[in-house]
Structures are given as C-alpha cells and as structure tokens.
Amino acid sequence: MNIASSASWFVFPGNGAYGVSKSALWVMGNALRQELAGQGTRVTSVHLGAADTDMMKGYDVPKMDPADVARITLDGVESDAFEVVVDEFTAMVKASLAEDPREFDKRFQRFLNA
C-alpha cells in the first residue's frame, strides 16, 4: 500500500514539487501492481485530500479524521481495490481528469475561495 494524494492529479501554487512526487508515486504503484501480480503481491494506492494530522496543522481546509482514513483504506485493501479514493474532493479531482482542465481550475478556484 502507498499513500498518495489528490495532488497526484493536480497542483496549485506552492505545491508543485509535492504534486510531482505524488504523481510519481501513483505511476509507481501502477507499475508495481503489474510487475508483482505474477507472484501474488497486491499493491493498493490510497488517495486523499487532507487528514487532520501534524502535517496539515495550520492549513484552513476541510480535514478528515485519520481514523476514518484508516478505516476506508483498510476496507479498500480488504476488497482488493487497486486504488482507494478516500474523500469526495479527491473523487472530484480524479473525475476531472477526463474533462477540460480549465473546468477543474474554475472549480478549484471556487473551492479555495469558499
């Protein structure tokens, strides 16, 4: 299991390097899943927005309880999910990949200004 982020699929000013690292983690998880499948090793990538942890201290954004993140993650692993998308924000980000990126940018700006 690897803990990625909604930032696997988008960036905003100030988090470019973080987003690049999470995008690479997403691709690495996909590659490992395929390469290790023959030996029965399962790989699950977990994507979430923000959890109420020390890392997010000081950020004024909606945050999930880490216990909820753990429960949802373990439910996904139990069901043999390739990816666990933990929250609605992250689901919206992933779904936006099939759209014109300008539409996501508009939605994200509304989110930031809410």
Side-chain angles (χ1 to χ4, degrees), residues 59 61 104:
Y59 288 93
V61 297
F104 173 78

Side-chain angles (χ1 to χ4, degrees), residues 10-16 108-109 112:
F10 83 105
V11 295
F12 58 90
N15 91 329
F108 187 63
Q109 288 305 313
L112 289 177

